[in-house]
């Protein structure tokens, strides 16, 4: 039996079931929320998270993986409230989300000391709660591998080697950053089969995606519903082609949906991305993939087997 940390305790990976590999209960700008709390409504955000989670559960989802970390407003107590109400199996992350620079409080610390913070969340608990992180998160976007982004990647790699938990990245396929992330992680001694390169589904470049998968990493086809980045039809066509090329065991599905997010006006966001919810994959994407010829076994691999295997690859080096 392999267990993974979940919000509120531990979880046998055999019990993970249908898993959404990349969703957010809430995304907040931490500094803004601390300085101008009147802009926020905790209870409204709680209701939104509960509504999204319950809707996903009604479609058979048993586990949600939430990669919200520093830079996205991680709040272990908020996560706990959602779990208490819904009973969802929720896996939390540690790490740091930045496209450019480190926060001033970390900028002059060593990479090792930043890794120590991640290890604390993995071994002691998040934000003074008993909830321990289940995986590590880092990000690279349009600016590429800036010096501070590279330090985060290396700190994540070091924490990974000390604890053995898997790594999930936010990547930006337009600049090939998923492959660059693999280079840095591999240079730090990371086994790339324990890595998921997130947002790989934002591109239709099969050569790029197969190069990443051929090095052993999982591909996050995890932004369904963000049509202005890439339409669903193109995302599905890419998934089908990868499956036909033999990469079914490397793919995982999700939406990267945020039950609430303060980056955008809520009404405008709903108009821009009406399908960006935690139910779009089960309601629309999976039926379309089946209609395109994927088998129930392939669908199960991407939504059940691959997430389970990803979290079962544990153990310090």
């Amino acid at each position: 039996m392999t267990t993974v940390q979940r919000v509120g305790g531990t979880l046998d990976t055999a019990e993970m079931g249908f898993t959404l590999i990349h969703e957010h209960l809430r995304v907040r700008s931490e500094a803004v929320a601390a300085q101008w709390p009147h802009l926020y409504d905790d209870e409204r955000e709680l209701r939104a998270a509960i509504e999204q989670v319950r809707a996903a559960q009604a479609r058979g989802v048993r586990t949600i993986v939430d990669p919200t970390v520093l830079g996205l407003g991680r709040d272990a107590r908020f996560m706990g409230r959602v779990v208490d109400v819904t009973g969802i199996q929720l896996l939390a992350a540690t790490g740091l989300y930045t496209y450019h620079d480190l926060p001033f409080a970390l900028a002059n610390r060593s990479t090792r000391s930043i890794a120590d913070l991640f290890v604390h969340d993995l071994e002691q608990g998040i934000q003074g709660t008993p909830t321990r992180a289940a995986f590590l998160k880092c990000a690279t976007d349009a600016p590429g591998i800036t010096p501070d982004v590279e330090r985060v990647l290396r700190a994540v790699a070091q924490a990974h080697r000390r604890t053995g938990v898997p790594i999930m990245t936010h990547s930006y396929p337009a600049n090939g950053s998923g492959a660059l992330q693999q280079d840095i992680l591999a240079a730090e001694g990371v086994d790339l089969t324990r890595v998921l390169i997130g947002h790989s589904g934002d591109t239709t470049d099969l050569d790029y995606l197969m190069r990443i998968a051929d090095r052993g990493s999982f591909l996050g086809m995890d932004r369904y519903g963000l049509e202005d980045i890439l339409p669903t039809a193109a995302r599905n066509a890419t998934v089908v082609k990868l499956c036909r090329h033999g990469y079914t065991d490397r793919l995982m599905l999700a939406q990267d949906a945020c039950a609430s997010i303060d980056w955008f006006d809520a009404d405008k966001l709903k108009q821009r991305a009406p399908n960006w919810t935690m139910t779009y994959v089960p309601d629309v994407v999976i039926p379309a993939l089946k209609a395109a010829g994927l088998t129930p076994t392939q669908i199960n691999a991407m939504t059940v087997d691959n997430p389970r295997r990803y979290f079962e690859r544990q153990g310090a080096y």
Side-chain angles (χ1 to χ4, degrees), residues 44 65 68 161 197-198 217 284 312:
R44 179 187 61 79
V65 181
T68 305
R161 285 180 55 81
I197 302 298
S217 297
V284 176
E312 285 178 346

Side-chain angles (χ1 to χ4, degrees), residues 26-33 39-40 44-45 71-73 258 260-266 269:
R26 180 173 72 181
V27 170
R28 271 187 173 186
S29 305
E30 291 123 323
V32 176
L39 296 176
Y40 297 84
R44 179 187 61 79
E45 292 171 349
L72 293 171
C258 306
S260 61
I261 180 171
D262 66 357
W263 296 8
F264 313 98
D265 176 88
L269 179 60

Side-chain angles (χ1 to χ4, degrees), residues 213-236:
D214 285 342
R215 297 181 73 180
S217 297
F218 292 94
L219 300 173
M221 316 307 280
D222 54 18
R223 270 185 162 177
Y224 276 103
L226 289 177
E227 300 287 310
D228 55 347
I229 296 177
L230 191 68
T232 296
R235 294 179 187 274
N236 282 347

Side-chain angles (χ1 to χ4, degrees), residues 58-74:
R59 275 89 170 162
V61 173
R62 296 181 64 184
T63 302
I64 292 177
V65 181
D66 186 337
T68 305
V69 292
L70 174 61
L72 293 171
R74 184 184 61 170

Side-chain angles (χ1 to χ4, degrees), residues 265-278:
D265 176 88
D267 291 335
K268 291 181 180 178
L269 179 60
K270 189 172 183 179
Q271 293 174 3
R272 168 193 164 195
N275 298 321
W276 198 37
T277 70
M278 295 184 192

Side-chain angles (χ1 to χ4, degrees), residues 55-307:
Q57 289 175 303
R59 275 89 170 162
V61 173
R62 296 181 64 184
T63 302
I64 292 177
V65 181
D66 186 337
T68 305
V69 292
L70 174 61
L72 293 171
R74 184 184 61 170
D75 186 334
R77 292 172 179 83
F78 181 85
M79 290 179 172
R81 293 179 71 188
V82 175
V83 168
D84 287 344
V85 172
T86 65
I88 190 68
Q89 297 173 162
L90 184 68
L91 309 187
T94 186
L96 201 154
Y97 184 94
T98 180
Y99 298 165
H100 299 279
D101 304 322
L102 282 164
F104 291 133
L106 301 181
N108 294 315
R109 291 175 180 259
S110 68
T111 301
R112 168 77 186 199
S113 69
I114 296 171
D116 288 342
L117 298 176
F118 303 156
V119 172
H120 178 276
D121 287 351
L122 293 162
E123 295 183 344
Q124 304 300 319
I126 301 169
Q127 296 167 333
T129 74
T131 290
R132 292 163 55 189
F135 65 105
L136 289 145
K137 171 74 180 295
C138 52
T140 306
D141 207 87
I145 308 289
T146 68
D148 279 359
V149 164
E150 181 172 349
R151 290 187 63 205
V152 175
L153 288 167
R154 294 189 183 279
V156 161
Q158 291 175 21
H160 163 81
R161 285 180 55 81
R162 290 162 60 184
T163 63
V165 304
I167 297 171
M168 179 185 295
T169 78
H170 164 114
S171 73
Y172 187 73
N175 63 9
S177 62
L180 298 175
Q181 290 172 336
Q182 285 184 308
D183 290 342
I184 292 169
L185 295 174
E188 289 286 335
V190 171
D191 174 357
L192 294 180
T193 67
R194 304 191 193 191
V195 176
L196 185 155
I197 302 298
H199 307 335
S200 294
D202 285 353
T203 183
T204 60
D205 186 342
L206 290 180
D207 289 340
Y208 167 77
L209 295 173
M210 288 189 291
R211 286 198 304 273
I212 290 174
D214 285 342
R215 297 181 73 180
S217 297
F218 292 94
L219 300 173
M221 316 307 280
D222 54 18
R223 270 185 162 177
Y224 276 103
L226 289 177
E227 300 287 310
D228 55 347
I229 296 177
L230 191 68
T232 296
R235 294 179 187 274
N236 282 347
T238 302
V239 168
V240 170
K241 290 175 184 176
L242 287 168
C243 288
R244 289 175 178 165
H245 279 86
Y247 293 96
T248 304
D249 66 345
R250 299 285 95 191
L251 306 179
M252 290 189 252
L253 307 179
Q255 295 109 165
D256 190 21
C258 306
S260 61
I261 180 171
D262 66 357
W263 296 8
F264 313 98
D265 176 88
D267 291 335
K268 291 181 180 178
L269 179 60
K270 189 172 183 179
Q271 293 174 3
R272 168 193 164 195
N275 298 321
W276 198 37
T277 70
M278 295 184 192
T279 58
Y280 189 60
V281 163
D283 282 353
V284 176
V285 173
I286 290 176
L289 292 174
K290 289 180 177 178
L294 296 194
T295 67
T297 298
Q298 289 173 309
I299 299 298
N300 193 73
M302 293 186 286
T303 58
V304 178
D305 295 340
N306 296 345

Side-chain angles (χ1 to χ4, degrees), residues 43-58:
E43 294 307 310
R44 179 187 61 79
E45 292 171 349
L46 179 64
R47 289 193 300 271
I50 291 170
E51 179 182 356
Q52 284 284 306
V53 169
R54 281 179 166 164
Q57 289 175 303

